[in-house]
Amino acid sequence: MTSFSPLLTEQLENGTLVCPLCLSSLKIVDESIYCTNTTCSHSTIEIPLIQKKIPILLNFRETILNKESLLATGGESLIPRSGNKYDAIKKIFWGSGDKTKRNLAQFLENVPKYAGKKSTVLIIGGGAVGNGAEGMYDAKDINVLSFDIYASSNTDFIADGHSLPIADNSIDGIWIQAVLEHVMYPQQVAAEIHRVLKADGVVYAETPFQQHVHEGPYDFTRFTESGHRLLFKDFKLLDSGFLTGIGTVLLWNVRYAAWGLTRSKKVAIVVAMVFSWIRLFDHLVPDSFNVDTASGVYFLGRKDPNHTFSDKDIITHYKGFQRK
């Protein structure tokens, strides 16, 4: 018996999780993990582990993450995280993720199913459970495989989305929520998602549009709804749109304005709580307006070998929202 979780052990043994250096299959020897490719350095140098159970599946030549820091801190997050302590307050600001819950049901419905076998869903950036995504962990017909760049109770392994330690065409569904703004090269991550999904696999992404910088130096990119669709142009569209609209954007502005004027994060939180009713504007303006003023957008798509998407198609896609 190893200290690895049964799911992690299964994914290692069936070849879904692969070597971060050469993408060859891995093997468990006693309490260690090695690459099966004898020409790879990991064939003799074991994969580093956090807490003796969370593998660090990183190619350190191609990531900004540092091996020594990860091991020294036990995989501690690069930024302070409050866990679930302030979930109730957060829901006052940003809601309880009702649209995400609806989209989760649609995502799970579209994940390929197999008789007598669970589908595998990979959560990219799953160190914390996303707002509205709690139901993912209650689904009975899927295995949830989760990774992030830091260790947590939800993290099966540590990896970088730019270079997934996952075999080609091996995953049934991918969930990437509030992550793409924090990666340096979103197009590269989207390409990796396409590589590891099976031919009929599905991807669901949520990404900010009009939001202020969060997570400081690890926040890089924003997407309009059309830009988000273009990012996933290699996927057949199942659904897309906005998550929260102009009211939520106004609340972001109120909170950050209060923070800047008072220099106090606590005061900003109190002021934002007082003005939380502004989020009602999300429901008072038409969708065709909200999609252009959204706080965040989403995309649900399927990997389809027969799918094509031209540059002209993005214009038609945008006009489709304006007709609603």
Side-chain angles (χ1 to χ4, degrees):
M1 293 291 291
T2 71
S3 57
F4 307 126
S5 70
L7 176 60
L8 183 66
T9 300
E10 177 187 340
Q11 300 301 319
L12 286 166
E13 291 178 344
N14 69 17
T16 298
L17 287 175
V18 296
C19 176
L21 301 183
C22 67
L23 299 186
S24 298
S25 59
L26 297 168
K27 61 182 179 182
I28 301 174
V29 180
D30 296 326
E31 295 288 320
S32 301
I33 302 171
Y34 294 92
C35 181
T36 58
N37 177 5
T38 56
T39 65
C40 178
S41 61
H42 274 313
S43 65
T44 55
I45 301 172
E46 64 184 272
I47 298 288
L49 301 173
I50 297 291
Q51 302 164 17
K52 297 184 178 181
K53 63 180 181 179
I54 302 176
I56 302 176
L57 298 176
L58 286 165
N59 183 343
F60 286 101
R61 295 191 297 268
E62 298 179 358
T63 181
I64 65 170
L65 300 175
N66 181 272
K67 179 181 178 180
E68 288 70 29
S69 295
L70 280 170
L71 293 173
T73 64
E76 185 177 291
S77 174
L78 295 171
I79 64 167
R81 296 183 184 274
S82 59
N84 300 320
K85 287 171 54 179
Y86 302 109
D87 278 357
I89 295 176
K90 290 176 183 176
K91 287 178 180 179
I92 293 174
F93 294 144
W94 319 125
S96 56
D98 290 340
K99 190 169 284 189
T100 297
K101 293 175 184 177
R102 185 210 70 177
N103 293 346
L104 172 61
Q106 190 177 190
F107 169 79
L108 292 174
E109 183 180 324
N110 280 280
V111 170
K113 305 296 190 300
Y114 310 97
K117 177 186 174 184
K118 289 186 177 183
S119 306
T120 299
V121 170
L122 176 70
I123 300 183
I124 298 178
V129 178
N131 188 23
E134 298 85 358
M136 179 85 73
Y137 298 85
D138 298 325
K140 304 299 183 184
D141 55 354
I142 65 169
N143 284 320
V144 176
L145 188 65
S146 174
F147 81 88
D148 213 312
I149 62 171
Y150 66 95
S152 79
S153 59
N154 301 306
T155 304
D156 293 303
F157 59 97
I158 291 175
D160 187 326
H162 295 93
S163 182
L164 297 176
I166 306 289
D168 295 357
N169 309 305
S170 61
I171 298 294
D172 299 296
I174 289 181
W175 183 273
I176 179 166
Q177 182 182 12
V179 171
L180 287 166
E181 70 270 33
H182 301 301
V183 304
M184 290 183 168
Y185 307 107
Q187 288 79 10
Q188 186 173 332
V189 176
E192 279 290 275
I193 290 171
H194 192 272
R195 176 182 67 81
V196 306
L197 275 175
K198 294 179 181 177
D200 56 350
V202 294
V203 58
Y204 177 79
E206 289 184 1
T207 312
F209 172 26
Q210 296 202 74
Q211 289 184 16
H212 299 73
V213 169
H214 49 277
E215 299 196 5
Y218 306 102
D219 192 347
F220 308 109
T221 310
R222 297 292 182 270
F223 286 96
T224 64
E225 200 285 331
S226 291
H228 205 227
R229 172 68 188 103
L230 202 57
L231 178 66
F232 291 98
K233 65 184 179 63
D234 291 333
F235 294 87
K236 180 180 178 181
L237 173 69
L238 298 178
D239 191 18
S240 69
F242 71 94
L243 291 162
T244 50
I246 187 62
T248 302
V249 172
L250 288 171
L251 189 57
W252 272 91
N253 286 329
V254 167
R255 180 186 171 196
Y256 273 71
W259 192 356
L261 291 169
T262 66
R263 312 297 195 275
S264 170
K265 191 173 183 178
K266 291 181 179 179
V267 170
I269 289 173
V270 171
V271 171
M273 289 178 68
V274 171
F275 284 92
S276 61
W277 57 269
I278 291 177
R279 287 199 307 109
L280 292 172
F281 287 131
D282 285 357
H283 308 286
L284 298 178
V285 300
D287 287 358
S288 59
F289 184 85
N290 265 329
V291 77
D292 280 349
T293 58
S295 174
V297 296
Y298 71 89
F299 174 85
L300 175 65
R302 186 181 302 281
K303 181 177 176 179
D304 181 348
N306 299 314
H307 167 73
T308 59
F309 190 89
S310 72
D311 291 346
K312 292 180 180 179
D313 290 331
I314 196 62
I315 308 303
T316 304
H317 173 80
Y318 177 84
K319 289 181 178 178
F321 280 99
Q322 298 307 297
R323 289 196 295 269
K324 293 181 180 179

